[in-house]
Amino acid sequence: MKNVINDILKLNIDEMVNFNFDCECGKTHKVLIENIVVKENGLRYLNEGLKEFKGKNIFLVADKNTYQVCGDKIEITLKTEGYNLNSYVFLTKNDLVPDEKSIGRLLIEIPKNTSLILAVGSGTINDICRFISYKLDIPYVIIATAPSMDGYASTVSPLIVEGFKITYEAIYPKSIIADTDILKEAPLEMIHAGFGDILGKYTSLTDWKLSKILNDEYYCQTTVNLVEKARENCVENAEEIKKRSGKVIGQLTEALIISGIAIGFIGYSRPASGAEHHLAHYWEMAALSNNQPHPLHGNSVGAATLVISMIYQLMKNKIPKEINPPDPEFIISIHEKVGSVYNPKDLGIPKEVFADSIIHAREIRNRYTILQLAYEYNLLEKFSKILTEKFY
Ligand SMILES: [Zn+2]
Ligand SMILES: [Zn+2]
């Protein structure tokens, strides 16, 4: 059944499942997820969603942390209820990396005739299981354990292959189950990361509009409105993040899922990722190539959002007047409310990497952003000096 254009803005997240509509932008947008639960005690909805898999083989995947958070409970509950369940828990000493080794490990462990993958985790577990799900044509359900990134509803998996971060085509999860009682207990750094990924939508959406005006790039106002509404919901209650209120953790999780849905609407990550993501990727790749640890994706994006808002400010006489970039002071004020790190230096980004990233981050992706406009005016070297002095 086709729906009316702007209805999507009035829907609660659980009503967005299987929604599709002919948009004024000319595209038909679809949500191809069957079930989205963001609720207190959300795990109680799991059984309901799994009924069709009774008598079939389910494969639960977790790492040692997420297994403790709720993987063990889920395993016991489902076995007690008569499900055929095998599980694999990654016991890596360091953080699990979504690379050839992890993918290979899972391929070794996954039993033949598996009908469903039950992923218990956040970024990495989700990326690995989504990729395996896509390659083996086995649906997967994600049980979210932290509101740390916007990849839950995404269709791609960024993997580290031969030391490089490469984004691979994959598939939507069949269901997303987010229990806010579990999510609000996630490490604060991970909650800050999710919030940083949402803050990034201030500059990603500004970059998209910039490119629409300057390059006549395809643009969808409805998608922009959808992401802005979700973002505003959690920014309005930013102070509650510190208190880990279930309500704002739920709003944050919804915004992260909606960001993924928006990417699905457009078919590429334009609504969710602009120059702030290019900076964050540059920092991450620099750390990877030097075998250094790096911040969580969203923590980098949150700090990079401030940097990009400053570049917009430095370019204020050169951007079209219809563009309303976020004020750097405003971005800082939200970071302060949440208690997250906004200075790249405090985040551990080396000075030289930071200085280089301003000049070279635009080369990461063929996507028009404020960094490209600054490049066209031959201003990147100057901005690199100004900003490096400001932060270091
Ligand atoms: Zn549209
Ligand atoms: Zn992101």
Side-chain angles (χ1 to χ4, degrees):
M1 192 183 74
K2 286 271 162 71
N3 301 279
V4 196
I5 287 176
N6 275 325
D7 276 1
I8 186 89
L9 295 172
K10 299 183 199 130
L11 298 181
N12 293 323
I13 197 151
D14 51 342
E15 297 165 328
M16 287 184 194
V17 295
N18 291 323
F19 195 80
N20 69 83
F21 63 104
D22 291 330
C23 185
E24 58 205 339
C25 73
K27 284 195 184 198
T28 300
H29 299 313
K30 293 176 186 154
V31 182
L32 297 170
I33 304 171
E34 292 174 28
N35 190 21
I36 302 176
V37 174
V38 182
K39 282 193 166 71
E40 278 178 23
N41 196 8
L43 270 187
R44 70 179 186 276
Y45 296 91
L46 180 61
N47 197 6
E48 183 70 32
L50 292 186
K51 270 186 186 145
E52 60 182 296
F53 293 95
K54 267 244 157 103
K56 297 179 179 169
N57 295 324
I58 300 176
F59 183 50
L60 182 147
V61 181
D63 64 27
K64 58 180 188 297
N65 297 323
T66 64
Y67 189 70
Q68 272 176 16
V69 168
C70 63
D72 52 357
K73 265 181 249 131
I74 293 169
E75 180 170 20
I76 293 167
T77 311
L78 293 180
K79 278 183 173 166
T80 313
E81 297 195 11
Y83 285 93
N84 301 337
L85 191 95
N86 286 285
S87 60
Y88 179 70
V89 181
F90 283 99
L91 294 172
T92 47
K93 212 156 74 213
N94 300 322
D95 287 348
L96 183 63
V97 181
D99 60 4
E100 302 93 329
K101 197 176 166 201
S102 308
I103 300 278
R105 197 76 192 86
L106 217 51
L107 277 175
I108 290 170
E109 298 295 337
I110 189 166
K112 270 175 86 76
N113 304 319
T114 294
S115 297
L116 182 78
I117 298 169
L118 200 54
V120 181
S122 57
T124 308
I125 288 280
N126 189 45
D127 284 333
I128 297 171
C129 290
R130 178 203 308 292
F131 185 72
I132 295 272
S133 161
Y134 174 67
K135 281 288 170 124
L136 301 184
D137 238 334
I138 300 171
Y140 88 103
V141 168
I142 174 78
I143 317 273
T145 54
S148 54
M149 47 87 226
D150 66 1
Y152 286 119
S154 144
T155 56
V156 296
S157 280
L159 304 175
I160 312 287
V161 175
E162 309 262 359
F164 287 96
K165 187 167 178 167
I166 304 173
T167 299
Y168 288 90
E169 189 184 344
I171 195 168
Y172 273 124
K174 179 181 169 64
S175 308
I176 302 172
I177 312 274
D179 184 331
T180 54
D181 294 322
I182 293 172
L183 295 166
K184 71 183 183 188
E185 300 302 328
L188 202 54
E189 188 193 9
M190 296 186 91
I191 296 174
H192 285 168
F195 197 82
D197 219 3
I198 293 303
L199 268 191
K201 309 320 169 210
Y202 280 108
T203 43
S204 67
L205 294 176
T206 310
D207 277 341
W208 194 9
K209 191 165 179 187
L210 181 73
S211 183
K212 172 204 168 206
I213 294 170
L214 296 182
N215 306 322
D216 206 19
E217 184 180 327
Y218 159 81
Y219 188 80
C220 171
Q221 190 62 50
T222 302
T223 302
V224 170
N225 294 347
L226 181 69
V227 175
E228 283 183 343
K229 184 181 161 212
R231 183 194 67 203
E232 292 316 305
N233 277 343
C234 47
V235 167
E236 265 169 31
N237 299 310
E239 262 156 7
E240 300 284 312
I241 293 261
K242 276 186 196 148
K243 297 181 203 151
R244 297 169 175 274
S245 100
K247 185 182 162 208
V248 73
I249 295 295
Q251 286 167 326
L252 172 57
T253 308
E254 289 191 8
L256 292 166
I257 294 172
I258 284 171
S259 170
I261 288 175
I263 295 172
F265 278 0
I266 306 309
Y268 57 111
S269 64
R270 191 43 135 155
S273 162
E276 75 297 324
H277 271 72
H278 300 173
L279 278 188
H281 287 171
Y282 190 95
W283 300 344
E284 185 179 343
M285 276 167 23
L288 280 171
S289 65
N290 293 320
N291 271 325
Q292 299 282 322
H294 57 83
L296 291 172
H297 165 78
N299 295 134
S300 289
V301 171
T305 302
L306 172 62
V307 178
I308 297 300
S309 73
M310 288 171 160
I311 293 181
Y312 265 106
Q313 197 176 52
L314 291 165
M315 294 281 290
K316 69 172 181 284
N317 297 323
K318 298 194 165 53
I319 54 174
K321 60 181 185 317
E322 304 94 302
I323 298 287
N324 274 315
D327 182 346
E329 291 304 318
F330 170 71
I331 299 292
I332 291 176
S333 74
I334 310 173
H335 270 293
E336 283 176 342
K337 276 184 195 164
V338 175
S340 46
V341 178
Y342 55 80
N343 186 326
K345 186 185 175 191
D346 297 341
L347 205 59
I349 311 302
K351 186 177 177 182
E352 308 69 51
V353 170
F354 177 80
D356 287 349
S357 69
I358 302 293
I359 299 168
H360 295 294
R362 65 171 192 90
E363 295 156 22
I364 283 184
R365 235 186 181 160
N366 184 15
R367 178 169 294 177
Y368 199 89
T369 69
I370 190 66
L371 289 175
Q372 185 62 28
L373 186 65
Y375 168 77
E376 287 163 13
Y377 278 101
N378 203 13
L379 286 166
L380 287 176
E381 305 248 346
K382 184 180 161 195
F383 290 172
S384 171
K385 280 202 189 82
I386 294 174
L387 293 168
T388 308
E389 246 165 58
K390 206 171 186 92
F391 285 114
Y392 288 81

